């Protein structure tokens, strides 16, 4: 357990938590299918990966079933009935980061529980009850699990925000000692600034790798879900606790919002890349459409002959990303509210038309690139998990709370964190959200609308109809470009999924007009060559404390008759945190 790349012929599970992956593996071994395994892994992640695994957030599933069906389920959060377009603008009509990210208003109606239960009911093997599937998650919440150093460091880092919330303090702050009390007093009497207070608190190491995190309220919520399905969350005691939390903290979510919530099966976005079928998530995710658009453009080039991460390769990627993200800002939003031009964006002809706007000799300025005319938005706060079984089912789920630990607010008595997904809407036309993404009308806030996402769970099927890869990522706007580079590595450069994931990446997204790169991605010479092509670099922030930061990908790859699972070490401090099967 815990090594990076074991393989076998039974199936594969990959997630950010070794404990959660092991749960999925156990269900595969006990005769479950990939859907049983992924739902069991998902509920366990809500316990063992608190920064991003969740009950209080939302996500997407993309799958290819053993019968050849492509499936996608949208269980994205939804704007509450009381929400309105300008709700995150302050008295000066400026976007308020505090309101959009750290308030109870920042939470959309959670979709994860509805989604996971629906997947289990509709696609599970029928060999297990929901109570059986959720028993391991309940066990780890009730009896505790030993935290990783990544979780220990995250919990300490966010102390100042947890301390603003009673529920979060109870679970995630280990001890309110004299140092903390002293800092709180200093903040109150004004002898320390808010920024210095947060910095000083973050320096206090309380949690250690291996500490036991017990979450009793969460265990009780999970038990209600296990017994009553979705109703155990959207109705009854859990719903009452959510409403109480909202009412006492000026949140918008009502009882009716909870009762109205339902996940939606949507047409997955499909395309081809060098003869392979690519199936990914459509709106309200931008991921699938942008991925296929970029693959369509790249297909026109002999990538295999291009040296990986050479200036020519990175130039092409950057230009293609620029074109696709320009389209994202204008054209994409919740399909129930906005006519997304998916056929256009994913057509091979449109890809060629867009390519005519760029040159291989010089970088285009993003201000010169507009969106195409239609005929008619980490830190890694998201998490992706993938399962393949040996019956032919291939599944990927990406879920998110938006930022790390969501809004850092726990529903009192229910033990789970609330998302701050409302920031994925475009709060003010042309103004960047937490991921630097801008948007306009297509992604403006409206009641019952779902915010545009970058989550890109993706499945690739070879030209003989055999599933070869299920992959996805965490990392906000960097998700799509990470999945893109992994697919290129697997198909064009014939790497296995672990090699593909390990390969250093670059990222750009139209605006801001710059190119980011990971440690070791580019040589100094390549950087000089790209600068000569007029590329602008974002050198800072690409590597934090020596840790890679351009998205975190997980997936399973069927290659040479075995399942190879890929785990991304970016953002983790433990060498063996993830498990593969
Ligand atoms: N919350 C990030 C995303 O959904 O893209």
């Amino acid at each position: 357990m815990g090594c990076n790349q074991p393989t076998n012929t039974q199936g594969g599970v990959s997630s950010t938590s070794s404990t959660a992956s092991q749960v999925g593996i156990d269900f595969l071994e006990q005769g479950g299918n990939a859907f049983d395994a992924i739902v069991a892994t998902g509920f366990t992640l809500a316990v063992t990966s608190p920064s991003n695994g969740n009950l209080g957030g939302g996500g997407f599933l993309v799958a290819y079933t053993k019968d050849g069906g492509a499936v996608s389920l949208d269980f994205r959060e939804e704007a509450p009935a009381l929400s309105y377009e300008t709700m995150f603008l302050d008295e000066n009509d400026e976007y308020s980061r505090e309101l959009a990210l750290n308030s109870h208003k920042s939470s959309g109606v959670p979709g994860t529980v509805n989604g996971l239960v629906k997947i289990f009911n509709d696609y599970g093997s029928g060999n297990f009850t929901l109570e059986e599937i959720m028993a391991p998650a309940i066990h780890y919440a009730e009896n505790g699990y030993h935290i990783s150093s990544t979780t220990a460091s995250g919990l300490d880092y966010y102390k100042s925000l947890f301390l603003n919330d009673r529920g979060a303090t109870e679970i995630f702050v280990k001890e309110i000692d004299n140092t903390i009390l002293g800092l709180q007093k200093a903040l109150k009497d004004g002898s320390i600034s808010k920024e210095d207070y947060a910095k000083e608190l973050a320096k206090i190491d309380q949690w250690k790798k291996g500490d036991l995190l017990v979450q009793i309220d969460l265990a009780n919520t999970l038990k209600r879900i296990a017994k009553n399905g979705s109703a155990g969350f959207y109705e009854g005691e859990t719903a009452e606790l959510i409403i109480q939390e909202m009412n006492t903290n000026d949140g918008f979510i009502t009882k009716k919002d909870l009762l109205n919530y339902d996940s939606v099966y949507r047409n997955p976005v499909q395309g081809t890349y060098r003869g392979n079928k690519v199936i990914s998530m459509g709106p309200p995710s931008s991921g699938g459409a942008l991925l296929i658009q970029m693959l369509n453009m790249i297909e026109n080039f002999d990538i295999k002959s291009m040296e990986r991460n050479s200036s020519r390769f990175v130039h092409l990627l950057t230009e293609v990303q620029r074109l696709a993200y320009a389209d994202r800002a204008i054209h994409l939003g919740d399909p129930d509210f906005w006519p997304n031009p998916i056929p256009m964006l994913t057509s091979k002809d449109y890809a060629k038309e867009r390519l005519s706007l760029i040159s291989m000799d010089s970088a285009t300025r993003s201000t010169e690139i507009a969106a195409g005319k239609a005929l008619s938005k980490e830190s890694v706060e998201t998490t992706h998990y993938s399962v393949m079984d040996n019956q032919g089912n291939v599944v990927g789920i990406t879920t998110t709370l938006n930022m790390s630990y969501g809004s850092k607010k726990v529903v009192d008595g229910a033990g789970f964190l609330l998302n701050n997904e409302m920031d994925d809407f475009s709060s003010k036309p042309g103004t960047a959200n937490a991921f630097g993404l801008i948007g306009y009308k297509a992604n403006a806030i409206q009641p019952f609308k779902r915010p545009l996402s970058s989550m890109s769970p993706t499945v690739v099927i070879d030209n003989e109809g055999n599933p070869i890869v299920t992959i996805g990522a965490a990392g906000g706007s960097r998700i799509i470009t990470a999945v893109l580079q992994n697919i290129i590595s697997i198909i064009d450069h014939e790497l296995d999924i672990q090699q593909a994931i390990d390969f250093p990446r670059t990222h750009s997204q139209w605006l801001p007009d710059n190119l980011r790169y990971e440690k070791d991605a580019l040589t100094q010479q390549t950087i000089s060559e790209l600068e000569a092509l007029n590329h602008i670099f974002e050198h800072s922030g690409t590597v934090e404390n020596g840790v890679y930061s351009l998205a975190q990908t997980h997936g399973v790859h069927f290659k040479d008759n075995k399942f190879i699972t890929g785990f991304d070490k970016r953002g983790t401090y433990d060498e063996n945190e993830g498990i593969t099967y």
Side-chain angles (χ1 to χ4, degrees):
M1 169 162 154
C3 54
N4 291 330
Q5 198 182 317
T7 59
N8 75 18
T9 54
Q10 305 294 309
V13 179
S14 178
S15 83
T16 197
S17 151
S18 53
T19 309
S21 297
Q22 182 65 55
V23 167
I25 289 161
D26 291 344
F27 277 103
L28 284 182
E29 284 183 341
Q30 292 163 32
N33 66 14
F35 296 95
D36 298 321
I38 206 157
V39 171
T41 298
F43 277 116
T44 308
L45 283 167
V47 179
T48 63
S49 188
S51 69
N52 48 37
N54 70 80
L55 297 184
F60 301 120
L61 161 137
V62 168
Y64 187 75
T65 67
K66 61 179 185 197
D67 309 319
V71 181
S72 77
L73 183 69
D74 161 11
F75 51 100
R76 180 78 162 156
E77 299 89 331
E78 193 164 280
L82 292 172
S83 55
Y84 54 94
E85 195 166 331
T86 55
M87 62 185 273
F88 294 136
L89 301 188
D90 63 16
E91 56 283 2
N92 303 315
D93 263 2
E94 294 303 330
Y95 163 70
S96 161
R97 201 178 156 88
E98 183 64 24
L99 257 184
L101 292 170
N102 297 333
S103 74
H104 282 74
K105 287 191 176 74
S106 69
S107 302
V109 183
T112 295
V113 174
N114 184 288
L116 291 182
V117 172
K118 192 177 278 193
I119 294 158
F120 173 71
N121 287 338
D122 293 352
Y123 290 95
S125 65
N127 296 339
F128 305 96
T129 64
L130 186 60
E131 282 171 305
E132 287 167 332
I133 288 285
M134 293 183 65
I138 293 167
H139 167 82
Y140 289 116
E142 197 158 45
N143 298 294
Y145 79 99
H146 298 284
I147 65 171
S148 65
S149 29
T150 309
T151 296
S153 115
L155 292 175
D156 282 336
Y157 182 78
Y158 290 110
K159 224 181 277 111
S160 66
L161 291 169
F162 295 143
L163 283 164
N164 290 335
D165 181 82
R166 192 163 50 115
T169 302
E170 257 174 35
I171 301 167
F172 298 130
V173 179
K174 198 168 176 185
E175 187 195 350
I176 302 198
D177 57 17
N178 286 337
T179 319
I180 291 181
L181 290 172
L183 283 163
Q184 286 181 319
K185 187 168 171 291
L187 180 71
K188 215 169 171 182
D189 65 24
S191 55
I192 187 170
S193 71
K194 214 170 156 186
E195 290 72 35
D196 286 345
Y197 165 77
K199 273 188 206 148
E200 290 306 313
L201 278 172
K203 281 189 210 154
I204 306 169
D205 287 339
Q206 293 193 320
W207 293 98
K208 304 261 174 305
K209 175 181 175 169
D211 281 352
L212 195 68
L213 183 64
V214 178
Q215 302 172 83
I216 297 296
D217 289 342
L218 179 58
N220 289 332
T221 299
L222 288 165
K223 284 179 190 169
R224 291 190 288 272
I225 298 166
K227 186 158 177 243
N228 303 307
S230 247
F233 184 87
Y234 297 90
E235 298 174 43
E237 188 176 345
T238 316
E240 293 301 330
L241 291 166
I242 297 172
I243 300 315
Q244 214 173 312
E245 178 77 22
M246 289 289 148
N247 291 345
T248 44
N249 295 285
D250 293 328
F252 276 173
I253 298 173
T254 62
K255 195 170 186 163
K256 204 162 167 207
D257 286 326
L258 292 170
L259 277 173
N260 277 345
Y261 187 87
D262 200 10
S263 52
V264 185
Y265 285 110
R266 303 203 186 263
N267 290 327
V269 173
Q270 303 199 44
T272 58
Y273 183 61
R274 305 199 199 282
N276 301 283
K277 188 187 266 197
V278 180
I279 305 168
S280 191
M281 190 68 211
S285 179
S286 61
L290 265 69
L291 176 68
I292 289 168
Q293 185 186 358
M294 292 190 286
L295 288 169
N296 282 342
M297 289 191 258
I298 288 168
E299 201 176 40
N300 293 287
F301 296 81
D302 180 9
I303 290 287
K304 217 175 180 156
S305 72
M306 279 187 201
E307 189 192 328
R308 199 54 202 258
N309 284 350
S310 61
S311 55
R312 192 170 159 76
F313 177 88
V314 176
H315 172 71
L316 174 63
L317 270 189
T318 307
E319 293 302 282
V320 155
Q321 290 166 1
R322 195 190 312 280
L323 292 166
Y325 278 77
D327 276 341
R328 181 193 197 277
I330 297 290
H331 288 309
L332 298 175
D334 182 339
D336 294 341
F337 289 75
W338 185 261
N340 296 276
I342 298 299
M344 173 191 93
L345 294 176
T346 57
S347 86
K348 305 268 184 201
D349 286 345
Y350 181 69
K352 286 200 175 116
E353 203 181 292
R354 294 291 274 168
L355 277 178
S356 67
L357 299 175
I358 61 165
S359 144
M360 286 303 284
D361 299 328
S362 173
T364 321
R365 284 283 68 80
S366 290
T367 44
E368 292 162 13
I369 292 282
K373 274 209 170 68
L375 295 173
S376 52
K377 168 169 125 153
E378 262 168 63
S379 57
V380 280
E381 315 11 346
T382 301
T383 197
H384 180 82
Y385 41 113
S386 292
V387 182
M388 273 194 189
D389 65 25
N390 63 4
Q391 304 166 32
N393 297 301
V394 195
V395 203
I397 289 182
T398 316
T399 62
T400 184
L401 292 167
N402 197 27
M403 304 311 284
S404 216
Y405 299 90
S407 63
K408 286 86 178 164
K409 306 205 183 306
V410 163
V411 174
D412 273 356
F416 62 86
L417 285 152
L418 287 162
N419 69 81
N420 51 7
E421 215 68 60
M422 293 290 287
D423 186 60
D424 271 352
F425 280 115
S426 168
S427 295
K428 183 175 177 177
T431 300
N433 72 2
F435 294 104
L437 289 164
I438 66 162
Y440 298 93
K441 198 77 197 160
N443 190 34
I445 305 177
Q446 264 181 270
F448 310 119
K449 194 172 171 182
R450 301 182 184 197
L452 188 61
S453 172
S454 299
M455 294 187 284
S456 315
T458 298
V459 168
V460 182
I461 315 293
D462 72 12
N463 55 15
E464 287 165 7
N466 306 309
I468 47 175
V469 178
T470 166
I471 194 162
S477 58
R478 283 96 63 187
I479 290 173
I480 315 171
T481 56
V483 172
L484 172 75
Q485 287 166 83
N486 279 294
I487 289 177
I488 291 172
S489 293
I490 289 167
I491 292 177
D492 290 303
H493 295 113
E494 297 175 16
L495 302 185
D496 73 35
I497 196 163
Q498 188 63 55
Q499 294 167 322
I501 288 172
D502 289 344
F503 210 91
R505 300 194 272 262
T506 62
H507 170 79
S508 63
Q509 56 181 52
W510 181 48
L511 293 175
D513 186 351
N514 63 32
L515 205 171
R516 296 185 208 174
Y517 61 99
E518 291 180 331
K519 184 171 169 270
D520 303 331
L522 305 177
T523 62
Q524 197 48 55
Q525 186 180 330
T526 305
I527 292 172
S528 305
E529 286 167 11
L530 286 161
E531 282 173 337
L533 288 169
N534 283 332
H535 286 282
I536 300 167
F537 281 90
E538 160 68 67
H539 294 284
S540 61
T542 54
V543 179
E544 286 148 24
N545 307 321
V547 177
Y548 288 103
S549 63
L550 290 179
Q552 210 181 5
T553 48
H554 295 111
V556 187
H557 183 189
F558 190 69
K559 186 179 164 75
D560 302 331
N561 283 325
K562 53 187 190 225
F563 296 96
I564 306 173
T565 46
F567 172 74
D568 205 326
K569 296 172 202 75
R570 292 165 180 84
T572 67
Y573 296 97
D574 290 358
E575 184 63 18
N576 295 325
E577 202 157 307
I579 188 177
T580 49
Y581 183 80

